Structure formats: C-alpha cells, structure tokens
Amino acid sequence: MNTLVQFMTSVIGAFYDFTQTIGFPSYALAIILLGIVVRILLFPLSLKQMKSMLGMSEIQPELKEIQAKYASNREKMNEEMQRLYVEYEVNPMAGCLPILIQMPILYALFRALRTFQFTENDSFFWIEHLNDKDPYFILPVVLAVVMFLQQRLSMPKGSPMADNPSMKAMLYVMPVMMGVFALQFPAGLCVYWVTTSALMIFQQIIMNKQRKKEQERRAEERAKRQAERELKAKEERLKGHNPSKKKSKKELKAIHKAKKGTGYKAPSQAGSTKGFDPNNPKAVYRPANKKKK
C-alpha cells in the first residue's frame, strides 16, 4: 500500500507540473484533473457493471428455479447456473470490479493528501490550504447532495433497485454518512471526491440511455430464445406423435398386446388378414381363440 501511496503522490505532483505548464499553477486544479482522468478510465468498467446488474436481475427467476430443482446436487446446480450465465452473457463478478478498483485508489489518495507537503499554490477559493478541513463545511454538504443526485439517477423507475426497500433507504443514508465522514477529511480529498461524484452524474445520464438500449436488446434476445424453445418443443411433439411414421413389427406387437392382452396373434409374413374383426374398426386383430358371434 505504501508503494501505491507514493505513486499517487507522484501523480499529484505530475498533474501540478502540468498546471504550471499551462500557466495556471494550482494543486486544487491538479486534483480536479486527477479526478477527471480517474472517472474516464473507470467509465468502461462502470458500463460493464451496469450491464452485468441488468443481466443478473433478468435471470433471477431462472436462477431460483435452478436452485430449487438441483438443491441436492451442487455440481449440477453450478453447471446449470454457468450455462445460464453464458446464455445471457452475464458475469456476476463484473458488478464488484469497479468498486474493488476504486477503493485502493481512494484510500491511497486519502493518505497521500494527508501527508502531501504542499509548498505553494495550495489554496482553493475560501480554503487556505488543501491539507486543512473545510472551515465552513461547504464541500461536505456539496458532496452529500451530489452523491444523492448520482444515486437517485442510478435507480430509475421500474428498475430492481428502485423497488428494493433497502436500496431506497441507502439512497438517503449513504450520502449523509459520506457527508459526515467528509467533515474530517482534508479539503484536497473533498475536492477530489466532489469532482468524481459530479462527473458520475453525467456518466449516469449516459449509462441510463445505454441501459434503455441494453434492455431493448435483451428483450429482443429473450423473445428470440423463447420462440426457438417453442419451435423446438413443437417439433419434438410432432416427431413423437406423427401418425405417418412407420412403426416396427415389434412396436406394433407391443401396442396390441397392451390393448388385447396375452391373446394377441401377430399377422403372418404374407400380410394375412385372418383374425380381422370388421365389426370392431378400432382393433385390427382379435384373438384367434375367439369366434365371431
């Protein structure tokens, strides 16, 4: 972790050198640029996370059926679940990947900013030094509001998360918690956090549009798969009940034995009609030991 902290410190220094190059030396601007770059790099992972969450919510009914059907056979259950993931192009781990990547970055940035030796140009509007806390608590409040807006956009009406009571509670609890934590953070970290959260609002708008397209695509694929299953089932039914399909002599014998009992007499090789009962069209043959009355 110390290596990552040192790396983040050098990254902040590199961005500050860039602000000097453009003629506006500012550590606050360097941190804002860092947040923009981080969000751009993580955006593809966020899209993948969104698609994975859509896929997981789509296959929940089938997952429950598989778990109930193969409750006593873990190996078969895992096999069927894996088949389902492949069919719907779902990766359960994709939903956790962006969070797992961001947490070390945020923690390393937190430590880097707390120990960073700002020599000059480390003010930010009403804040004299980025190592200090916000004296007027403006950044923590802005952070809480921005996080609330971003999470609200991530739960559009009709989505599984919007209908989840625990997720609704987190919509209000999480921003307040982060705002309270930010009261103890150095102003530099709050600047980074507000920047990335504000960018996530714009990214969430883009992802909502992608979500709609993804839902339409998945609906079409689901309808196509359903049509294929129905066609396959229909073909199997026709194949099993086709009256024109020739049956072997052994199959015919078994059928008539079931109908007539042990008195069945098979037809001769020459196709003799002896034993044919014209008064009973449902039975092609009748037992030889019975005489027509």
Side-chain angles (χ1 to χ4, degrees):
M1 184 57 71
N2 289 332
T3 303
L4 186 57
V5 172
Q6 294 174 1
F7 173 74
M8 293 304 300
T9 302
S10 62
V11 169
I12 295 171
F15 275 102
Y16 176 72
D17 293 340
F18 175 75
T19 63
Q20 287 183 313
T21 303
I22 63 177
F24 192 80
S26 170
Y27 275 105
L29 178 59
I31 293 172
I32 291 172
L33 292 175
L34 174 61
I36 293 173
V37 170
V38 169
R39 288 313 321 164
I40 292 174
L41 293 176
L42 292 179
F43 183 62
L45 292 177
S46 299
L47 277 177
K48 191 171 184 180
Q49 179 188 27
M50 179 268 294
K51 292 180 180 180
S52 179
M53 291 176 66
L54 280 178
M56 288 300 295
S57 62
E58 184 180 9
I59 66 174
Q60 282 305 309
E62 294 187 52
L63 274 178
K64 290 180 180 178
E65 290 180 5
I66 290 174
Q67 291 169 352
K69 185 176 181 180
Y70 302 105
S72 59
N73 190 342
R74 299 287 300 181
E75 184 177 351
K76 183 64 176 177
M77 181 193 299
N78 293 332
E79 181 182 337
E80 289 297 314
M81 290 172 64
Q82 188 63 36
R83 178 194 61 77
L84 198 63
Y85 294 150
V86 172
E87 181 180 353
Y88 283 85
E89 301 176 358
V90 173
N91 183 0
M93 296 301 298
C96 305
L97 190 59
I99 298 175
L100 294 176
I101 292 176
Q102 289 183 72
M103 290 304 294
I105 294 175
L106 189 61
Y107 179 71
L109 184 62
F110 173 76
R111 288 186 55 184
L113 287 172
R114 292 197 67 171
T115 59
F116 195 89
Q117 298 299 320
F118 295 104
T119 55
E120 56 183 355
N121 302 317
D122 63 333
S123 62
F124 180 74
F125 295 106
W126 64 94
I127 301 170
E128 293 185 5
H129 302 287
L130 293 175
N131 275 330
D132 299 336
K133 301 173 185 177
D134 186 342
Y136 304 112
F137 312 121
I138 295 176
L139 287 176
V141 172
V142 172
L143 175 62
V145 172
V146 171
M147 287 192 68
F148 172 80
L149 293 175
Q150 188 271 324
Q151 291 192 63
R152 186 68 186 86
L153 285 172
S154 67
M155 294 189 291
K157 292 182 179 180
S159 65
M161 290 188 296
D163 298 330
N164 191 324
S166 61
M167 293 302 297
K168 286 183 178 180
M170 291 300 293
L171 173 64
Y172 299 97
V173 173
M174 185 61 70
V176 174
M177 288 179 58
M178 292 299 102
V180 172
F181 291 155
L183 295 174
Q184 307 300 321
F185 291 162
L189 183 58
C190 289
V191 170
Y192 170 83
W193 211 344
V194 170
T195 301
T196 56
S197 298
L199 286 174
M200 285 180 68
I201 291 178
F202 295 101
Q203 289 186 352
Q204 193 63 55
I205 293 173
I206 297 173
M207 285 196 295
N208 285 349
K209 293 180 180 180
Q210 292 291 329
R211 182 200 302 269
K212 187 175 180 181
K213 293 180 181 179
E214 183 70 13
Q215 286 175 331
E216 292 174 353
R217 184 184 71 85
R218 289 183 178 275
E220 291 177 359
E221 291 182 352
R222 185 166 58 250
K224 183 179 178 181
R225 281 192 293 266
Q226 184 63 27
E228 289 175 353
R229 290 193 187 106
E230 291 177 357
L231 180 61
K232 185 177 179 180
K234 183 178 180 181
E235 289 176 351
E236 290 178 352
R237 286 196 301 269
L238 291 175
K239 183 179 178 181
H241 298 84
N242 189 354
S244 63
K245 182 182 177 182
K246 290 185 178 181
K247 293 182 174 60
S248 65
K249 188 180 293 186
K250 185 180 291 185
E251 289 174 332
L252 287 171
K253 186 175 181 180
I255 292 171
H256 290 295
K257 272 189 175 182
K259 289 182 178 181
K260 291 295 184 177
T262 56
Y264 171 82
K265 184 177 181 181
S268 64
Q269 293 292 335
S272 172
T273 59
K274 183 178 180 182
F276 176 70
D277 187 356
N279 296 324
N280 188 1
K282 292 184 179 180
V284 177
Y285 299 101
R286 61 188 176 85
N289 59 350
K290 290 186 179 181
K291 294 181 180 180
K292 183 179 178 182
K293 295 181 181 181

